[in-house]
Amino acid sequence: MDHQILTPKVLHPKYGNFVTILSIDGGGIRGMIPGVILASLESELQKLDGKDARLADYFDVISGTSTGGLISAMLTAPGKDNRPLYAADEIVPFYYEHCPKIFPQSKYGLKTTLLFALMAFHKCRGIFSAIIDGMQDLMSPKYDGKYLHDLLKKLLGTTKLHDTLTNVVIPTFDIKKLQPIIFSTYTAEDHKVLDANLSDICISTSAAPTYLPAHHFTNKDENGKNEEFHLIDGGVCANNPSLVAISEVTKKILKHDPKFSTFASEDFRFLLISLGTGSNRTEKKYDAKTCAMWGPVSWIFYNGSTPITDVFMEASSDMVDYHNTLVFEAFRSKDNLLRVEDETLHGDLASVDKSTPENLRNLENIGKNLLKKPVSRLNLGTGLHEPVPNAGTNEDAIKRFAKLLSDERKLRKSNANVAGK
């Protein structure tokens, strides 16, 4: 039998050529880097469509994990006049102001504390206090999270997931159920229990093991019954949440949701901007000979870093990047995918919590320099990101994608006008 020829459809007024997705990785203070990229993107959109343009106006869904989840909430939570709580160019100043209070830098590290304990032993005073302080560093989260919790509750108040100005997807992980919990505005439409306070969701997705405490809260289901959540950082399952966002949208389309009624499964296409928070894979921090000798403590803390956290966050992000690249190439849509990432971080720049003014400034500069670097794409053969020939810089790509997003929005408005006649 001959294949049926698919004719173009008049899309639902809300949609045009693409389902548009913005995704932001986790990475603590390294959220400064995507903050710079987002400010550049929103600036380009404002050049095209006016100073009031905001990212939430252009993306069908904004997804984020950990620090990316916080940025997603900043960009989509309703503020004054029902416009986004933060403009993109306010993200970097937000990090400058609040990161030093979220991650206060201890005057004395663990090694120094234990050294003081030995000195105290010789002086016969203070030994027990010093030893207890040193052991406490190993037996509890590095930070108590109080400032972050209070800040998010103050900023977001009683804002619920469904209140966001565009769709949001934020992964977390339930440590009691040992399974991912995806807070998605798409899913919350059918499962009221997931329509939680945005502040609780952000606190949960940011609760990185060893750094911040797990978060517990309850929310009512469709029957008015409280369900408990015991959540930690979504980075343990989806540090790069772009594939989760794609899946959430795809489920709605395949279930013939009325909002997507004019999308046939063969018709819809994605436009994805995926922003990393940097990695230090070029710095050879570990090797098999060294880690073969490690016990549990060394996997948690070694030479100023946290190997097990590095491993699962980098592995999670890379596998998602791999699958995205494969899918977009398979559907001949690789030009609709932009992944912006820096793989050259080292020392304090690779830290998720080194919140000194100097390090924050350096991270901002990393973001600015990243805009000047060539567009890169994952080579499925080597597993390395390589420059894309004739694609220009990331800044060039941001301008191109801003034009695509602007045109998409104009097309949707045109479709809506036609449908309204």
Side-chain angles (χ1 to χ4, degrees):
M1 185 174 70
D2 293 335
H3 292 291
Q4 180 181 2
I5 298 175
L6 296 174
T7 57
K9 297 177 182 291
V10 178
L11 298 180
H12 186 283
K14 187 177 178 183
Y15 295 96
N17 289 324
F18 303 105
V19 177
T20 56
I21 299 174
L22 172 64
S23 177
I24 309 155
D25 287 12
I29 61 166
R30 301 201 311 261
M32 289 282 282
I33 297 173
V36 172
I37 309 301
L38 291 168
S40 176
L41 175 59
E42 192 167 88
S43 175
E44 292 300 325
L45 290 168
Q46 289 170 349
K47 291 176 185 177
L48 295 167
D49 297 332
K51 62 182 179 61
D52 294 329
R54 294 291 182 269
L55 294 176
D57 302 329
Y58 296 85
F59 288 98
D60 295 313
V61 56
I62 298 179
S63 60
T65 297
S66 194
T67 197
L70 174 57
I71 293 174
S72 298
M74 293 170 68
L75 296 174
T76 62
K80 186 179 179 182
D81 299 326
N82 207 38
R83 296 297 288 151
L85 190 61
Y86 284 85
D89 63 4
E90 295 176 306
I91 295 171
V92 167
F94 178 93
Y95 274 67
Y96 272 121
E97 179 181 358
H98 296 292
C99 281
K101 300 169 187 175
I102 296 171
F103 303 112
Q105 301 301 289
S106 174
K107 184 177 180 181
Y108 304 115
L110 176 59
K111 292 181 179 178
T112 305
T113 302
L114 295 178
L115 177 61
F116 282 175
L118 292 175
M119 294 170 64
F121 176 78
H122 290 295
K123 294 183 179 181
C124 298
R125 66 175 184 267
I127 181 171
F128 295 111
S129 175
I131 290 177
I132 289 172
D133 286 345
M135 292 303 294
Q136 187 69 18
D137 281 350
L138 292 175
M139 300 176 66
S140 63
K142 193 172 182 180
Y143 307 99
D144 62 20
K146 186 177 186 306
Y147 181 86
L148 176 63
H149 296 189
D150 291 344
L151 174 65
L152 291 174
K153 289 176 180 177
K154 178 181 178 181
L155 289 176
L156 299 172
T158 58
T159 301
K160 293 281 191 178
L161 182 61
H162 80 267
D163 294 321
T164 55
L165 299 175
T166 190
N167 294 294
V168 173
V169 174
I170 300 177
T172 66
F173 189 86
D174 194 305
I175 196 67
K176 187 172 184 179
K177 297 177 181 177
L178 289 180
Q179 68 179 44
I181 303 294
I182 309 299
F183 288 95
S184 160
T185 48
Y186 296 116
T187 307
E189 292 175 357
D190 303 317
H191 301 281
K192 184 179 178 182
V193 72
L194 294 176
D195 189 23
N197 285 338
L198 203 53
S199 60
D200 282 320
I201 296 171
C202 288
I203 291 169
S204 300
T205 195
S206 302
T210 77
Y211 289 99
L212 290 163
H215 186 54
H216 169 263
F217 67 92
T218 61
N219 200 38
K220 294 185 183 298
D221 63 16
E222 291 79 1
N223 300 315
K225 180 181 178 182
N226 277 332
E227 181 170 327
E228 292 189 345
F229 294 91
H230 303 259
L231 304 178
I232 61 172
D233 190 347
V236 302
C237 57
N239 198 54
N240 175 346
S242 55
L243 194 58
V244 178
I246 290 172
S247 299
E248 287 294 301
V249 179
T250 303
K251 282 192 299 183
K252 281 292 185 180
I253 295 173
L254 296 181
K255 288 181 178 178
H256 306 291
D257 184 279
K259 293 180 181 178
F260 299 91
S261 60
T262 57
F263 273 113
S265 60
E266 303 92 341
D267 294 338
F268 68 91
R269 294 184 295 163
F270 290 108
L271 181 151
L272 169 64
I273 298 177
S274 174
L275 304 181
T277 56
S279 69
N280 59 348
R281 67 185 70 249
T282 57
E283 181 183 15
K284 309 304 180 185
K285 299 176 66 174
Y286 318 118
D287 57 61
K289 184 177 180 181
T290 301
C291 67
M293 306 301 294
W294 289 349
V297 172
S298 294
W299 275 104
I300 296 170
F301 184 86
Y302 174 79
N303 197 26
S305 61
T306 53
I308 193 65
T309 304
D310 288 348
V311 168
F312 68 65
M313 290 182 73
E314 295 297 343
S316 169
S317 292
D318 280 3
M319 288 306 297
V320 171
D321 195 16
Y322 176 86
H323 287 118
N324 282 342
T325 302
L326 181 63
V327 169
F328 274 74
E329 287 196 6
F331 285 91
R332 298 180 179 86
S333 300
K334 61 184 180 182
D335 290 337
N336 299 340
L337 167 64
L338 176 64
R339 172 70 174 171
V340 183
E341 175 71 305
D342 189 295
E343 297 183 333
T344 65
L345 302 188
H346 61 277
D348 288 346
L349 290 171
S351 168
V352 299
D353 67 329
K354 188 71 171 180
S355 58
T356 62
E358 179 185 11
N359 200 44
L360 292 173
R361 283 194 300 271
N362 290 338
L363 286 169
E364 182 182 8
N365 288 331
I366 289 288
K368 291 178 179 178
N369 292 333
L370 185 55
L371 284 168
K372 306 298 182 183
K373 290 186 176 182
V375 173
S376 64
R377 186 174 294 135
L378 184 69
N379 183 315
L380 295 172
T382 65
L384 300 175
H385 284 87
E386 299 175 353
V388 179
N390 304 316
T393 65
N394 286 316
E395 190 169 39
D396 295 328
I398 289 294
K399 292 178 180 179
R400 184 173 71 83
F401 272 74
K403 183 65 166 61
L404 289 172
L405 289 166
S406 177
D407 289 347
E408 173 71 13
R409 190 177 184 219
K410 290 181 175 71
L411 176 60
R412 295 183 184 190
K413 288 183 176 180
S414 176
N415 288 341
N417 290 335
V418 171
K421 291 181 179 179

